[in-house]
Amino acid sequence: MEEMSDHRLSIGTGRAEGPDEGGPAPAPGTRPLGRRLFLGIVGAGAIGTVFGQQLQSWVGSALSSLANPAGGGLAALLPGADRFRLYTVTSGFPEVHRAAYRLSVGGLVSNPVTLTYAELLSLPRTQLTRDFQCVTGWRVPGVHWAGVLLRDVLALARPTAAAKAVAFGSYDGVYTESLTLSEAHRSDVLLAYEMLGKPLSTPHGGPVRLYVAPMYGYKSAKWLSSITLVEQAKPGFWEQQGYAVQAWVGRSNGRNDAPIA
Amino acid sequence: MAATTHPSPEGAEGHRPAAAPAKGAEPGAGRPALRTLRFDLTERVVHWTSAVVVLSLTATGAFLYVPSLGTLVGHRLAVEDAHVWAGVAVFAPVLGGVLGPWGRRLRHDLHQVRDLGPDELDWLRSLGRLGRSALGKFNPGQKLSTNAMAGLLVVLFATGLVMRWGNFMPVGMRTGATFVHDVSAFALLAVVLGHIGFALSHPNALRSMVTGWVPARWVQRHAPAWQGEELPPRSARGEPR
């Protein structure tokens, strides 16, 4: 019993690893295949991490024929597929029916308005096709959007001279975002009601979401409920978690993604 | 015995059978029913706590990854935190088991799964028809799947750290880490499902991870070369029924 304990201990501390170290000699032909598998997986993981962006783009284009970037289909669940990852910061997605949808525009404006879904659709329609880039690294290439330019809606409400920024509220009751007034006047900032040729679905922020093409996805608040003109914007939901308020793709958050133009 | 990867001078001494309670109505009536300790308390606690952690990682990971599941619970920040902290803790059970004085058998297990002998390779290639006499406490499939799980968990752990705390790293590596994390998670899921499948189809092996014990007949059939490799269980006398 005592002798066995010693034997076991010597194995446990690894002193018996080599045949000439006094431990039991392995049978001829014994190979550390288990350890090689372990080290191989760890090595492959490291290489994959270093070259993963390239790998990801190859796999993404290979899967693009199978995957529906809006998130449907099993192929979209495969790792590396170019697809939206659906984020919500509250429980579930707020369900707002198009007939009941209202967008209020107020704050420092001379003409506060509340727009219905139909009224938004009757405003001049603008289309954009841009990559959608998340600050966590995923990008969905060439997403087609349709909606109303934010500046057209702001023009209806007529901001006062004191208004310097635009704050956005969401039907989830929690999410907030903001833009400066000059950012809000860009021609690639939409109130989007269509994505990839279909009315914007609830998971993607429907009936209407903000879409700020040149900025990371967190700027594009979903389930848009209110637009408030203010003197100075407060940091939005993720910005309070440390993300940059000026969320330019490739020029913020320490990232160097290719800019979206 | 000739094929064992760790021939041991102790011979069958290390495999002291334990007498079962006399009233056990075993088919081999007349002879005492024999059983052997396969997993001691440390090995079992490490296994099941790790299993719970990996299960919760799988569940929270699924909620983060599969859109329709994420829709069900929402609260992405909270789910993400739960996933990250479970991930940080994933090696705690095995480290706690290995590093303490209670971990001698566990350390020996880790040593055993390192090497594969030629007969074990034959067993693997013939899908279990050949080379049975070479099988020790862990068969070659178990040895490889243990290493695969360990390797994948290391990769998931490291890439997870990059995803959560890698803000200082180049974006390409963060994208790569996300990709590798996703791929590794699927691979680990496959290995774990295989592991569960084999466990469910081998009730004696599964029971040994619950109670610690296997019947001596199981050892003869599934782990003949294990004889002589193990300490007799401390509780060999008067073990619980």
Side-chain angles (χ1 to χ4, degrees):
Chain A
M1 177 74 193
E2 214 45 51
E3 186 191 322
M4 284 206 51
S5 302
D6 289 340
H7 167 62
R8 296 289 317 289
L9 265 178
S10 76
I11 289 173
T13 54
R15 277 195 277 118
E17 284 191 4
D20 36 33
E21 285 178 314
T30 295
R31 286 179 290 165
L33 294 179
R35 178 164 294 177
R36 277 182 210 166
L37 178 64
F38 171 80
L39 294 175
I41 289 171
V42 173
I47 292 168
T49 301
V50 174
F51 297 103
Q53 197 166 28
Q54 263 170 320
L55 270 175
Q56 160 100 58
S57 67
W58 292 334
V59 175
S61 49
L63 290 176
S64 62
S65 51
L66 301 167
N68 164 13
L74 273 185
L77 288 186
L78 296 176
D82 288 328
R83 65 185 182 99
F84 280 95
R85 304 190 180 198
L86 297 175
Y87 298 155
T88 173
V89 297
T90 59
S91 69
F93 298 144
E95 211 45 83
V96 186
H97 295 287
R98 290 190 180 90
Y101 179 80
R102 296 291 182 277
L103 174 64
S104 71
V105 189
L108 302 172
V109 296
S110 45
N111 178 39
V113 289
T114 298
L115 299 168
T116 64
Y117 186 74
E119 284 167 340
L120 274 170
L121 254 65
S122 70
L123 294 172
R125 173 186 162 97
T126 300
Q127 304 185 58
L128 283 178
T129 300
R130 297 282 191 279
D131 292 359
F132 191 91
Q133 174 76 49
C134 178
V135 72
T136 60
W138 55 267
R139 173 183 280 232
V140 184
V143 183
H144 178 266
W145 300 89
V148 181
L149 283 177
L150 173 59
R151 67 181 179 214
D152 290 351
V153 172
L154 294 182
L156 288 177
R158 295 202 302 275
T160 65
K164 295 283 183 289
V166 190
F168 303 95
S170 166
Y171 273 105
D172 72 7
V174 174
Y175 204 83
T176 52
E177 257 306 340
S178 72
L179 291 170
T180 66
L181 201 55
S182 63
E183 289 163 0
H185 277 93
R186 291 176 61 106
S187 56
D188 51 7
V189 177
L190 290 188
L191 305 184
Y193 47 68
E194 228 183 80
M195 187 183 96
L196 295 166
K198 286 191 204 128
L200 192 61
S201 66
T202 297
H204 288 285
V208 178
R209 80 181 290 177
L210 182 63
Y211 174 58
V212 184
M215 295 195 180
Y216 287 108
Y218 65 86
K219 193 54 92 171
S220 297
K222 303 205 273 190
W223 312 294
L224 193 62
S225 64
S226 67
I227 298 175
T228 312
L229 279 291
V230 293
E231 250 180 285
Q232 199 182 356
K234 279 185 247 162
F237 181 88
W238 288 112
E239 291 154 12
Q240 290 166 34
Q241 309 289 327
Y243 288 109
V245 175
Q246 307 267 295
W248 304 108
V249 172
R251 289 190 279 132
S252 65
N253 296 295
R255 298 181 61 90
N256 61 351
D257 309 274
I260 289 167
Chain B
M1 267 315 280
T4 181
T5 52
H6 295 290
S8 163
E10 288 81 6
E13 167 65 20
H15 214 58
R16 180 181 301 162
K23 60 172 110 169
E26 299 272 329
R31 283 192 298 166
L34 306 177
R35 54 185 188 165
T36 303
L37 186 68
R38 185 159 180 247
F39 296 118
D40 69 5
L41 189 62
T42 304
E43 292 167 303
R44 283 177 280 148
V45 167
V46 166
H47 174 270
W48 289 111
T49 48
S50 298
V52 166
V53 175
V54 169
L55 198 71
S56 65
L57 283 166
T58 309
T60 50
F63 283 120
L64 294 171
Y65 189 82
V66 183
S68 48
L69 289 178
T71 314
L72 282 178
V73 280
H75 294 287
R76 190 169 181 90
L77 271 181
V79 177
E80 197 180 299
D81 279 346
H83 186 74
V84 166
W85 291 112
V88 166
V90 73
F91 294 117
V94 75
L95 288 178
V98 160
L99 295 179
W102 44 77
R104 283 193 310 157
R105 287 176 66 104
L106 182 62
R107 289 193 291 270
H108 187 47
D109 293 342
L110 296 184
H111 182 84
Q112 279 181 314
V113 299
R114 191 189 68 167
D115 296 324
L116 262 65
D119 291 358
E120 291 181 294
L121 282 178
D122 287 347
W123 183 88
L124 212 54
R125 287 199 200 97
S126 68
L127 299 177
R129 284 194 300 277
L130 301 174
R132 180 172 285 250
S133 63
L135 299 184
K137 178 175 176 180
F138 301 106
N139 72 40
Q142 292 166 328
K143 291 180 177 185
L144 292 179
S145 71
T146 306
N147 282 286
M149 285 191 228
L152 289 167
L153 280 173
V154 167
V155 169
L156 284 161
F157 183 86
T159 52
L161 291 182
V162 172
M163 289 163 78
R164 180 67 178 243
W165 288 290
N167 289 312
F168 60 92
M169 300 178 94
V171 62
M173 277 186 65
R174 300 190 63 205
T175 308
T178 308
F179 178 64
V180 170
H181 197 82
D182 294 354
V183 172
S184 308
F186 273 94
L188 182 65
L189 184 66
V191 180
V192 168
L193 287 177
H195 174 67
I196 293 172
F198 277 113
L200 292 178
S201 59
H202 293 74
N204 277 322
L206 174 59
R207 208 171 293 128
S208 72
M209 193 47 95
V210 178
T211 67
W213 298 91
V214 277
R217 276 171 302 136
W218 183 93
V219 177
Q220 284 156 22
R221 184 171 159 73
H222 294 280
W226 181 25
Q227 308 229 357
E229 286 189 12
E230 290 301 313
L231 280 170
R234 288 232 170 78
S235 55
R237 283 174 295 260
E239 86 280 8
R241 284 166 54 196

